[in-house]
Amino acid sequence: DIQMTQSPSSLSASVGDRVTFTCQASQGIRNSLGWYQQKPGKAPKRLINAASAFQSGVPSRFSGSGFGTEFTLTINSLQPEDSATYYCLQYNSYPLTFGQGTRLEIK
Amino acid sequence: EVQLLESGGGLVQPGGSLRLSCAASGFTFSGHSMSWVRQAPGKGLEWVSVIGVGGVPTFYADSVRGRFTISRDDSKDTLFLLMETLRVEDTALYFCARGSQAAGGFDYWGQGTLVTVSS
């Protein structure tokens, strides 16, 4: 199985900051990676697919990059509504696997 | 508007069974692969199972293989998950999601149905 490791596990930042999350795959997954945002009590929402492809309706301050084993999600100009847990998902092969998540707190 | 509505969760004793349903609307259900993803209380997301268009193929996480069965009824736009020999560690919020490996992950999710396995 492909293991996905996210870092950091939690992060605290201020409105207007730029933050970057990292997701590392235990083996190469090409660009078969998505980023999901989950707010408490809600279903996850896909932000990015194919490592860097925007999803319709997602603010442009969210961006993704990476290929192979190293991937990043960047949020420019943090907003209060960005407080959430962020997960990466590899879909290169079954079983599909998520990272353990990064909890983002807005100060 | 795409909607996925799960039902069937509840409290069940260890070793018991439960069948979850996911009613889909707003898209051509028969043309999409569908998955179940779960989240234990306070924990992260875990993919559980997928079913392809027409009912094939099906894949399962190691943690549920041999105990859970995914199926679909395209005439009723409904996805199912039959869960048998339930364990305490199966306690989770179960989400229905549209998508699969070939589809590039999951683009729409339901709100989930809670399964609690406890004596």
Side-chain angles (χ1 to χ4, degrees), chain B residues 1-4 25-27 98 108:
Chain B
E1 178 191 7
V2 171
Q3 291 193 349
L4 299 170
S25 61
F27 66 103
R98 190 176 82 169
Y108 289 96

Side-chain angles (χ1 to χ4, degrees), chain B residues 21-78:
Chain B
S21 299
C22 171
S25 61
F27 66 103
T28 305
F29 179 75
S30 61
H32 290 267
S33 297
M34 298 294 296
S35 290
W36 289 97
V37 176
R38 69 184 180 182
Q39 186 169 38
K43 302 298 184 181
L45 300 167
E46 179 188 16
W47 170 79
V48 172
S49 182
V50 64
I51 186 166
V53 170
V56 289
T58 59
F59 292 102
Y60 299 90
D62 289 346
S63 57
V64 307
R65 188 178 296 112
R67 301 188 299 120
F68 289 13
T69 303
I70 192 171
S71 62
R72 63 191 299 162
D73 184 341
D74 289 344
S75 69
K76 297 181 179 178
D77 291 348
T78 303

Side-chain angles (χ1 to χ4, degrees), chain A residues 36 38 46 49 91-92 94, chain B residues 39 59 101 104 106-107 109-110:
Chain A
Y36 294 78
Q38 187 181 32
R46 189 164 69 182
N49 207 37
Y91 52 88
N92 184 74
Y94 288 112
Chain B
Q39 186 169 38
F59 292 102
Q101 181 233 356
F106 314 115
D107 56 356
W109 299 65

